[in-house]
Amino acid sequence: MTEITTISGNRGLMLEEPLIFEQGCPGRIGVDIADPGPVDEDRLGGLARQGAIGLPDLSEPQMVRHYTRLSQKNYGIDSGFYPLGSCTMKHNPRLSEKMARIPGLTDLHPFQPQSTVQGALEVIDLLAHWLKGLAGMPALAMSPAAGAHGEWCGLMAIRAYHDDHGDSRRTRVLVPESAHGTNPATAAMCGYSVDPVPANERGRVDVAALKAKLGPDVACIMVTNPNTCGLFEDEILEIARITHDAGAFFYCDGANYNAIVGRVKVADLGIDAMHINLHKTFSTPHGGGGPGAGPTVLSAKLAPYAPLPFVVHGTDGLELVEHAEQAPGAKPFGRVKGYHGQFGVFVRALAYILSMGADGLRQTSSDAVLNANYLLASLKDVLSASFDGPCMHECLFDDRFLKDSGVTTLDFAKMLIDEGFHPMTMYFPLVVHGALLMEPTESEAKETLDGFIAVIRALAAKAKNSEAEAFKAAPRLTPRRRLDETLAARQPILRWKHGANAEG
Amino acid sequence: MRYLPHTEADRRAMLATIGARDVDCLFQDVPAAARLDQPIDLPAGQSEMAVERVFTRMAGKNLSAGCAPFFIGAGLYRHHVPAAVDQLLTRGEFLTSYTPYQPEVSQGTLQYLFEFQTQVAMITGMEVANASMYDGATACAEAAVMAARVTRKKKIVLSGNLHPHYVQTTETVTKHQGLEIEALAPDPFGFEDLMGRVDSRTACLIVQNPGFFGGIRDLTQLADACHEVGALLVVAVAEPVSLGLITPPGAMGADIVVAEGQSLGMGLQFGGPGLGLFATREKYVRQMPGRLCGQTVDQDGKRGFVLTLSTREQHIRREKATSNICTNSGLCALAFTMHLTLLGETGLTRLAKLNHAQAVRLEQSLRRVPGAKVISQTYFNEFALYLGDDVDAAEVVEKLAAKGILGGVAASRFYPHWPELRPILLLAATETNSQDDMAALVSALNEGL
């Protein structure tokens, strides 16, 4: 392909866009603000700001164009197939966005008198009702802001239980090697030491090894199910049994709950606590990295320790409990964030849940698992599948198929970008070499999957055909090509400074 | 179902490729005892119209802030969000993208995060900022843990002017991390002696500015006192609009600034999601929690942006990470940065002046309420009103609500164990309040007291 250069640096619809700090002009404004009027005597106590802040001044049309151009440099689910394993990039319904913008639901302050927010408390209560019903669990904590935050909430409840029962011997948490990095980090935040549990040759928890590590000093195990290899832990009932026999709790990382929602109740697996990523299973937008929400279902034993605040049914309607003494019997371990949880995310998730219903949710997990198995079946002869099927909602390959080709997992993924696909998750989980983890989700039509399969098959052939140079050069058709991450880390430039961030 | 593309024919064809008889076969690894044969006993799916009706009904049970004279703050402030912000926020390329791990197809997210970090550093007067955290309260807790890491000391002192939710969240987060929390009594009159609380065991002192009860403090001497004993000064800001008018914490010697960014771009949303801002000095950047975006160049030498310094984070460091945090609040950060871009230097300054002027006007109107007195000596757009020795502010709030006025929040909602705080009402004014709103509040207070 001939390299086309332009005078402006723009390439048709691919437009270069400077930083806002490089395009302001003092005195412009993008919002009309009333004249503050005279203030006889200010109440700032002599602490009025001295000197300028340094922010650029832009008009509304400039601002709109800036962010429109930036958006065009992003790939979203709306743009195309996004098989990012472990991340559940499914369609985000627009109804959810519309509901989250109803003034009666969005223009509410968390400290309004409770009599004026009964509808908002009903949103929280109704979502809680669904989450408990789907999981088959008696209680939950609604306020965690994300999956990792929910993990921490679950472990804090577990720790509160042990402390409350005077059991201070329990200092270890067992975490399988294939776990998300958040699991060990969370355990450490709760003051626990982390003891890894190896996987067996089938990609599941090695139950014998787990049993050997369990003991009176283990507070809980943290197991992701389905696990990060996309496999259901088929010995999960045994795992739960031996864990409980040792007096420990079973925390389940619910990141992959979308594979089983509506087909399995969490309670039936012997799980004591599990967070639910509303931004995955219940399709609230990932938003370029948040906000999410991680409500955490709890067993009856752990229920009293749920954090503040929570909603209860009172005599005059719904009541928000903000202090422990308002709820007899409650022994909350504390508060995990400000206010009452990720309400805007709750509205979106509830809109999705009500749209799908119990039948639709069951169909959702069925289609998600069907799609992943279809990818696995259609690719396992050209890529190297790490484990035999069936898989759950995602399928895992390793880099054996690239052996001696000079092409790495990274190169292979970057080549996909030029073909118009978002890459799969790479190099995670760590339990296989050069992992490629693909999660198609239920949102993708068969035609989309067939198109992707055809491209992967052709690329696999290309890689075997000694065309490594083409892979190394990919991507070539994006707003930016491969970026120098080493330079970014060695000489960090974390902000714009006048005259210091010249356009390359 | 409208979100699921497969026809039954598609499913049959795919099962044939897989070599499975039916979908149930794909769930063979689920123990038989835990397999459900039927949908769970909850309602079936509904159309868009039906779902809209459910939400419209629930929304109708609320009194929304825009339908009432509204004076509630206490850490979250109602500001006008320009239409362009929300319109652009719903662009699918922003809304439906993941964390920018693939920088070649994420330059949009990465560039706005870089701009966001710069804006946050500028308004707080700090050198660097991260790409955001969950909210102000969790950012505050992370600051306490970071200060302990930097100083290798254990005592965290929390001012009585720090938002009670920030206090409670910090207490919870640090509970099992070997830290010692000293939370001071609520301080509505601004009497607390913080200088005397800092000693050689102190990792940090955390103060809020403007304080939870309104007061604005010169923090310079406190910063010096902290630095003398090797402690850090952490400053929490619950109302970032104030930074358009008052001296930023960075100029008064703060080492870490945490803030709630909700004021700009996001609206109230019943308190969530929020946006945690986190800024510090360059020398501490490797101890900072949360995602960071940095500038670099691509293969062709063009400027571009990537997530960087991830060796601090959980997916690399696992149990030794600076935090377990794995998301930021990307879309909220986008709303914040877009609003601040529309405002610019001129707009933020003017908006801040307007907010302060509104609060001063509110204080002046309240002079017509006998027995009530503003006890905050200084303030930005929120102050504490003492209603009189025998008055229960919580009751007053309820009475006002019965008249359709959302007239602030009683201090006792946060401090039920402090009877002396029962007469105190927190009142905020912003650009969204009209003269009529203020007149309605004053006359209702006069009738109700």
Side-chain angles (χ1 to χ4, degrees):
Chain A
M1 191 182 72
T2 327
E3 213 38 66
I4 298 167
T5 56
T6 58
I7 297 158
S8 60
N10 296 329
R11 290 153 63 93
L13 282 176
M14 213 188 283
L15 296 153
E16 291 296 313
E17 181 61 14
L19 295 165
I20 49 170
F21 308 99
E22 294 159 344
Q23 46 179 311
C25 175
R28 281 186 188 138
I29 197 159
V31 194
D32 292 320
I33 296 167
D35 182 349
V39 174
D40 303 339
E41 192 186 347
D42 78 46
R43 303 296 301 269
L44 301 173
L47 288 167
R49 181 186 261 277
Q50 309 294 312
I53 304 166
L55 296 169
D57 284 346
L58 282 78
S59 61
E60 180 178 304
Q62 291 176 298
M63 175 273 190
V64 168
R65 194 167 282 165
H66 179 70
Y67 292 102
T68 302
R69 289 179 173 195
L70 290 191
S71 76
Q72 289 166 336
K73 298 176 198 294
N74 265 9
Y75 193 98
I77 310 160
D78 286 2
S79 322
F81 188 38
Y82 213 123
L84 197 62
S86 202
C87 299
T88 314
M89 301 302 283
K90 60 162 84 172
H91 172 65
N92 299 140
R94 290 315 193 268
L95 177 65
S96 304
E97 292 305 308
K98 187 178 175 188
M99 295 303 94
R101 287 169 171 79
I102 297 176
L105 291 175
T106 190
D107 195 12
L108 300 175
H109 195 289
F111 298 139
Q112 284 182 216
Q114 296 191 13
S115 58
T116 68
V117 292
Q118 284 293 303
L121 298 180
E122 191 177 334
V123 167
I124 298 175
D125 189 57
L126 183 56
L127 178 59
H129 172 73
W130 270 90
L131 297 178
K132 286 187 287 187
L134 290 168
M137 299 284 275
L140 90 170
M142 285 295 284
S143 50
H149 207 216
E151 281 173 29
W152 171 68
C153 172
L155 259 70
M156 286 294 284
I158 289 168
R159 170 120 199 206
Y161 177 94
H162 288 314
D163 289 351
D164 193 29
H165 289 76
D167 194 349
S168 56
R169 295 167 304 167
R170 299 185 182 273
T171 54
R172 270 192 310 145
V173 170
L174 306 182
V175 182
E177 285 169 343
S178 60
H180 296 110
T182 51
N183 292 177
T186 296
M189 276 180 75
C190 295
Y192 289 128
S193 64
V194 179
D195 196 350
V197 180
N200 63 23
E201 71 288 350
R202 297 186 306 114
R204 273 94 169 173
V205 172
D206 183 332
V207 178
L210 174 67
K211 196 167 189 175
K213 285 181 182 265
L214 277 166
D217 62 336
V218 173
C220 71
I221 60 166
M222 297 180 86
V223 174
T224 308
N225 184 53
N227 69 23
T228 59
C229 300
L231 302 170
F232 197 93
E233 290 287 348
D234 51 4
E235 293 178 275
I236 192 162
L237 297 179
E238 178 66 3
I239 290 172
R241 193 185 63 77
I242 59 175
T243 300
H244 292 149
D245 283 353
F249 285 98
F250 183 174
Y251 185 83
C252 179
D253 179 331
N256 297 334
Y257 180 52
N258 59 304
I260 57 171
V261 62
R263 298 195 65 107
V264 179
K265 282 188 180 176
V266 174
D268 293 342
L269 300 174
I271 287 162
D272 298 294
M274 182 186 91
H275 71 265
I276 297 173
N277 305 72
L278 297 185
H279 48 287
K280 297 165 90 173
T281 303
F282 299 115
S283 211
T284 70
H286 280 78
T296 303
V297 290
L298 300 169
S299 64
K301 265 184 166 179
L302 295 176
Y305 306 96
L308 295 165
F310 48 84
V311 175
V312 296
H313 291 253
T315 44
D316 295 329
L318 296 169
E319 277 173 30
L320 183 75
V321 174
E322 295 176 285
H323 302 280
E325 55 271 28
Q326 289 170 252
K331 303 174 183 179
F333 70 74
R335 164 179 281 283
V336 301
K337 70 185 290 295
Y339 317 106
H340 320 322
Q342 304 286 72
F343 185 77
V345 182
F346 296 165
V347 174
R348 289 169 174 86
L350 184 59
Y352 174 81
I353 286 173
L354 295 179
S355 294
M356 299 304 290
D359 51 339
L361 289 171
R362 184 178 168 90
Q363 189 63 56
T364 293
S365 48
S366 305
D367 282 357
V369 169
L370 176 70
N371 280 1
N373 277 286
Y374 184 65
L375 280 188
L376 179 62
S378 307
L379 293 173
K380 66 182 175 192
D381 61 325
V382 292
L383 305 184
S384 29
S386 303
F387 302 102
D388 289 335
C391 61
M392 298 303 286
H393 62 298
E394 56 194 349
C395 52
L396 177 62
F397 301 95
D398 51 49
D399 62 3
R400 280 171 295 156
F401 77 103
L402 294 170
K403 192 166 184 288
D404 301 328
S405 68
V407 177
T408 64
T409 293
L410 181 74
D411 303 329
F412 194 81
K414 297 292 186 196
M415 198 71 162
L416 269 178
I417 293 176
D418 276 343
E419 297 289 345
F421 296 105
H422 194 281
M424 63 290 280
T425 290
M426 293 173 275
Y427 302 105
F428 181 85
L430 309 172
V431 290
V432 302
H433 197 268
L436 300 97
L437 185 65
M438 300 181 192
E439 179 177 8
T441 83
E442 70 281 2
S443 306
E444 301 303 334
K446 180 170 178 295
E447 305 88 282
T448 308
L449 300 179
D450 287 338
F452 178 72
I453 289 162
V455 167
I456 293 266
R457 295 185 70 88
L459 288 182
K462 235 175 147 135
K464 288 201 170 77
N465 202 22
S466 324
E467 294 181 47
E469 285 316 304
F471 284 85
K472 296 279 175 213
R476 294 159 53 100
L477 305 173
T478 41
R480 288 293 180 269
R481 298 182 61 202
R482 282 195 214 185
L483 290 125
D484 189 341
E485 301 194 14
T486 311
L487 176 71
R490 282 218 185 115
Q491 297 164 27
I493 304 175
L494 305 174
R495 61 173 290 186
W496 176 86
K497 274 183 194 154
H498 194 71
N501 302 62
E503 178 83 67
Chain B
M1 209 293 141
R2 58 188 181 274
Y3 307 144
L4 301 176
H6 290 334
T7 63
E8 278 309 316
D10 288 335
R11 293 190 180 106
R12 278 196 301 275
M14 294 168 77
L15 283 166
T17 302
I18 296 165
R21 193 178 68 252
D22 55 28
V23 171
D24 291 346
C25 298
L26 303 176
F27 287 84
Q28 67 184 39
D29 290 336
V30 179
R35 270 181 237 158
L36 302 175
D37 298 330
Q38 295 294 320
I40 289 168
D41 189 21
L42 283 163
Q46 301 181 63
S47 68
E48 278 211 0
M49 279 196 304
V51 174
E52 282 198 29
R53 269 196 292 272
V54 175
F55 282 98
T56 306
R57 181 186 59 74
M58 290 192 288
K61 293 184 180 180
N62 299 324
L63 173 60
S64 64
C67 295
F70 178 88
F71 298 93
I72 306 177
L76 291 178
Y77 300 88
R78 185 166 185 267
H79 292 289
H80 172 72
V81 178
V85 171
D86 198 51
Q87 291 284 310
L88 289 160
L89 204 64
T90 57
R91 283 189 70 92
E93 303 92 327
F94 288 136
L95 190 72
T96 73
S97 58
Y98 194 69
T99 303
Y101 288 134
Q102 298 296 316
E104 300 89 344
V105 288
S106 312
Q107 284 298 302
T109 298
L110 288 160
Q111 185 170 332
Y112 83 64
L113 289 178
F114 187 78
E115 293 172 349
F116 167 84
Q117 289 175 184
T118 308
Q119 287 171 322
V120 172
M122 282 177 167
I123 61 172
T124 54
M126 301 300 281
E127 288 163 359
V128 289
N130 74 11
S132 79
M133 316 204 75
Y134 304 138
D135 68 0
T138 55
C140 181
E142 295 274 6
V145 178
M146 171 175 153
R149 215 163 35 230
V150 167
T151 61
R152 294 165 194 263
K153 296 177 183 182
K154 298 199 181 305
K155 194 170 89 171
I156 312 285
V157 181
L158 306 178
S159 155
N161 247 308
L162 181 61
H163 193 297
H165 282 192
Y166 292 29
V167 172
Q168 291 157 20
T169 304
T170 303
E171 285 174 336
T172 309
V173 167
T174 55
K175 208 175 215 172
H176 303 303
Q177 304 203 44
L179 303 182
E180 177 192 331
I181 298 281
E182 188 179 322
L184 304 184
D187 181 39
F189 295 94
F191 293 157
E192 70 185 354
D193 166 32
L194 291 170
M195 303 283 270
R197 298 289 181 161
V198 180
D199 59 34
S200 61
R201 290 169 50 246
T202 310
C204 69
L205 167 65
I206 308 186
V207 298
Q208 183 173 317
N209 209 43
F212 184 66
F213 295 97
I216 304 170
R217 263 197 267 239
D218 185 349
L219 305 169
T220 318
Q221 285 183 319
L222 270 182
D224 290 344
C226 285
H227 297 155
E228 250 166 55
V229 294
L232 303 191
L233 178 67
V234 177
V235 180
V237 179
E239 170 54 298
V241 172
S242 69
L243 298 173
L245 188 57
I246 65 175
T247 304
M252 297 190 275
D255 299 287
I256 302 173
V257 179
V258 294
E260 172 56 64
Q262 166 277 336
S263 265
L264 292 177
M266 294 165 58
L268 294 171
Q269 300 186 83
F270 203 46
L275 172 68
L277 311 184
F278 196 108
T280 188
R281 304 270 169 215
E282 209 156 341
K283 63 182 172 185
Y284 299 133
V285 72
R286 282 170 203 274
Q287 296 295 337
M288 179 156 65
R291 282 194 191 130
L292 274 170
C293 172
Q295 178 183 320
T296 185
V297 293
D298 80 349
Q299 239 169 317
D300 295 336
K302 289 184 185 167
R303 181 175 71 185
F305 304 94
V306 292
L307 292 181
T308 191
L309 300 181
S310 56
T311 47
R312 302 164 297 120
E313 294 185 67
Q314 48 76 26
H315 60 280
I316 311 283
R317 294 269 287 167
R318 300 179 79 86
E319 68 269 24
K320 295 189 181 66
T322 51
S323 162
N324 78 337
I325 198 163
C326 147
T327 36
N328 58 351
S329 294
L331 208 62
C332 304
L334 176 59
F336 178 95
T337 188
M338 287 198 293
H339 193 169
L340 200 46
T341 297
L342 278 173
L343 287 168
E345 180 95 16
T346 306
L348 182 64
T349 308
R350 202 179 290 172
L351 180 65
K353 279 184 183 155
L354 177 56
N355 270 259
H356 186 56
Q358 289 279 76
V360 171
R361 263 172 228 137
L362 179 63
E363 183 188 2
Q364 285 164 351
S365 325
L366 289 165
R367 286 182 194 149
R368 299 201 298 272
V369 180
K373 185 175 173 11
V374 170
I375 54 173
S376 317
Q377 298 302 307
T378 53
Y379 58 80
F380 171 63
N381 66 356
E382 182 170 31
F383 49 70
L385 183 71
Y386 192 84
L387 291 168
D389 290 347
D390 303 320
V391 183
D392 181 354
E395 274 176 27
V396 171
V397 166
E398 290 297 337
K399 282 184 190 163
L400 290 171
K403 294 181 178 184
I405 297 170
L406 296 170
V409 52
S412 60
R413 181 157 179 180
F414 307 98
Y415 303 105
H417 306 298
W418 298 81
E420 61 269 42
L421 301 184
R422 282 178 66 199
I424 293 178
L425 180 67
L426 290 171
L427 286 169
T430 72
E431 75 283 3
T432 62
N433 292 112
S434 66
Q435 289 292 342
D436 289 348
D437 290 345
M438 296 190 197
L441 176 69
V442 169
S443 86
L445 282 174
N446 275 329
E447 289 162 30
L449 296 180

